[in-house]
Amino acid sequence: MRVRTQSRWSAAAAVVLIGMLAAGCTGGSDPAEAGATKSNAATGASSSPTPSASTTTLDAIVAPSPPSDAASPTAGSAQDTATYFLQLYPYVYWTGDLAEWDRLAAPTCIYCSKTRDDVSRLTDAGHRVTGGAIEITDAQSDEVEAGALFSVFVHFSEAPSQELDGSGAAVAASEGGRFTGLVAMRWTGADWSVDAVDVSSIS
């Protein structure tokens, strides 16, 4: 992945970010919603899940490694932290562990809170999600407000996933897909905060 601090995209991203932050955060099209596995994380095109009495073996999700250069208000640091946050997405669904997600998510980020609520719903129901690994294929970051606000535009793919009930039976499934994401990253003076996320499906 490359950090591009000068691009035509920067000006457009700045305008979008202003709108995103004014709204608190935007839902967009959630990767899982597009396949209907994680039902409430965000708005977007969805298909009806097909419950099944059996499951398909899917890749296990492991905790992504935190970025090594996250302690500075630079475009590169913002990009690394934003991509790390997106890679936490399948991990929190797999494990129910929201510690890192909550550490980075701003209280005003609607996308972040919807994801948290959906993970809690699954946990309370005794369900879990398997598969759904996210692979970042490209990323660009730009400084929107000097030393404070950065935009990160990401292309990524999501692997197929399933929601399993307490018995291990599949109750919903997603084929995965390809997506773009725009993440608003704010430097608080000591750490990063994810202020807003907007995800769109690539048809």
Side-chain angles (χ1 to χ4, degrees):
M1 288 178 277
R2 293 185 296 169
V3 175
R4 301 175 187 169
T5 56
Q6 300 293 327
S7 69
R8 295 179 182 177
W9 171 80
S10 304
V15 172
V16 174
L17 277 178
I18 291 170
M20 289 168 65
L21 295 174
C25 183
T26 173
S29 174
D30 175 56
E33 266 285 292
T37 295
K38 303 150 200 156
S39 58
N40 299 315
T43 60
S46 62
S47 58
S48 299
T50 303
S52 171
S54 61
T55 63
T56 300
T57 301
L58 299 169
D59 291 338
I61 301 297
V62 298
S65 300
S68 58
D69 63 342
S72 59
T74 64
S77 181
Q79 176 177 307
D80 289 346
T81 305
T83 55
Y84 167 66
F85 186 76
L86 290 175
Q87 288 172 322
L88 280 171
Y89 184 83
Y91 173 75
V92 300
Y93 275 98
W94 179 279
T95 64
D97 180 3
L98 289 160
E100 275 292 277
W101 184 269
D102 286 343
R103 182 181 70 83
L104 289 169
T108 54
C109 177
I110 295 173
Y111 182 94
C112 307
S113 61
K114 284 184 175 181
T115 296
R116 181 189 308 110
D117 291 346
D118 203 39
V119 170
S120 297
R121 175 191 65 81
L122 287 169
T123 301
D124 292 345
H127 291 197
R128 64 187 180 91
V129 170
T130 63
I134 284 178
E135 179 183 3
I136 307 296
T137 55
D138 188 35
Q140 307 170 36
S141 63
D142 290 279
E143 188 175 55
V144 177
E145 181 182 327
L149 181 63
F150 297 78
S151 59
V152 181
F153 186 71
V154 181
H155 283 84
F156 64 95
S157 60
E158 185 191 40
S161 61
Q162 291 182 329
E163 180 181 335
L164 310 179
D165 65 15
S167 69
V171 295
S174 166
E175 295 181 355
R178 297 185 301 127
F179 303 87
T180 60
L182 179 60
V183 186
M185 300 295 299
R186 186 177 299 278
W187 179 252
T188 65
D191 204 352
W192 287 104
S193 172
V194 179
D195 277 11
V197 180
D198 185 80
V199 175
S200 299
S201 176
I202 300 174
S203 57

